Amino acid sequence: MVVNLARTSASKEQLKQVFQNIDAHSCPRLFNFHMHTVHSDGRLQPSALMEQAIAIGLKGLAITDHHCISGYQAAQAWLEDWRWNNPGASTPLLWSGVEINANLLDIEVHILGYAFELEHPSIKPYLQRRATTGKEYQASNVIAAIHEAGGLAVLAHPARYKRSHFDLIPAAAKKGIDGVEAFYAYNNPNPWKPSALESEQVQKLANEYLLFNTCGTDTHGLNLLQRL
């Protein structure tokens, strides 16, 4: 089967428009920009993930496996096949995604990359199924690599690190980050809902530094409506 990438690859400009309108009610039933498959440390097969996404009625999503894109590629091929077999059906937009370990203010953070060119040489060091070291491990270089590959860079779960989000977000903004994962469920509630206090604080910082707000469940288990 020949995959028509033009039909399944959603653009960076489309993603920017979505990010401009993300709010506390966007995730997990309209959009979801943080999830993992068996290709990194998740439990979902890409095909099962896409079946759930369509059943939920997601308008758009990104698979963000750690340091690899093979789960995204499998999901993209599955989605193209599903579209072929379901002409006229509403299908979600699927963006390329990855989660990358990086050093920011001398601690490890996770940076989400979206809508980048898979074959761009700048992103290749970060798609080797393991964290990088040295210069490539620095947040400024991770962000630059995502940008050079035509993508957007987002600081994942800003209130989950050893340094305060009040320190990390300004530092990430200074290094060129595009957005922050404003809506995130830090205590893994059931049903999933973003943590109110942290979300409000992160949104305020995003507004101050002119950053996009994003949302994601950070699903590692078998249910896209839950984190674990």
Side-chain angles (χ1 to χ4, degrees):
M1 181 188 75
V2 176
V3 176
N4 182 348
L5 296 179
R7 282 181 55 201
T8 55
S9 297
S11 76
K12 181 171 78 171
E13 293 310 311
Q14 286 173 301
L15 187 58
K16 282 183 175 180
Q17 290 174 10
V18 171
F19 282 173
Q20 285 168 351
N21 294 292
I22 292 292
D23 62 25
H25 305 290
S26 299
C27 193
R29 294 188 177 276
L30 293 176
F31 294 97
N32 193 342
F33 296 104
H34 195 164
M35 57 186 74
H36 300 275
T37 74
V38 293
H39 289 259
S40 66
D41 58 346
R43 294 177 61 199
L44 276 169
Q45 293 288 343
S47 56
L49 185 152
M50 292 308 302
E51 285 169 355
Q52 275 193 50
I54 288 170
I56 289 166
L58 281 177
K59 292 183 177 181
L61 69 152
I63 294 167
T64 53
D65 280 323
H66 296 275
H67 301 103
C68 83
I69 53 169
S70 51
Y72 159 73
Q73 290 172 311
Q76 187 187 52
W78 185 94
L79 181 59
E80 180 66 21
D81 194 43
W82 191 89
R83 274 179 158 165
W84 182 264
N85 291 310
N86 295 272
S90 176
T91 54
L93 294 170
L94 176 64
W95 284 275
S96 59
V98 67
E99 187 167 14
I100 300 169
N101 294 17
N103 180 297
L104 179 64
L105 297 181
D106 296 323
I107 65 152
E108 184 165 271
V109 300
H110 292 176
I111 294 174
L112 298 160
Y114 298 112
F116 52 86
E117 298 169 31
L118 307 187
E119 300 299 324
H120 196 283
S122 294
I123 201 74
K124 288 287 183 149
Y126 301 103
L127 304 179
Q128 306 302 317
R129 299 182 178 273
R130 61 183 181 275
T132 53
T133 57
K135 285 185 178 180
E136 288 175 341
Y137 180 60
Q138 300 305 311
S140 54
N141 291 327
V142 174
I143 294 165
I146 293 168
H147 288 164
E148 286 166 20
L152 297 172
V154 169
L155 181 62
H157 38 66
R160 213 180 123 194
Y161 301 113
K162 293 177 182 175
R163 287 284 296 262
S164 166
H165 46 296
F166 292 102
D167 297 330
L168 291 171
I169 292 173
K174 191 175 180 181
K175 295 182 185 301
I177 204 100
D178 299 293
V180 286
E181 194 171 39
F183 303 103
Y184 188 87
Y186 289 93
N187 298 318
N188 195 34
N190 187 5
W192 189 97
K193 66 176 180 178
S195 303
L197 177 62
E198 290 88 347
S199 293
E200 184 182 347
Q201 292 170 343
V202 171
Q203 278 182 88
K204 284 183 178 178
L205 288 161
N207 290 339
E208 184 177 344
Y209 291 95
L210 304 177
L211 304 174
F212 292 120
N213 290 310
T214 76
C215 68
T217 55
D218 198 4
T219 293
H220 284 76
L222 295 172
N223 184 354
L224 284 186
L225 300 177
Q226 280 293 112
R227 179 166 172 249
L228 302 173

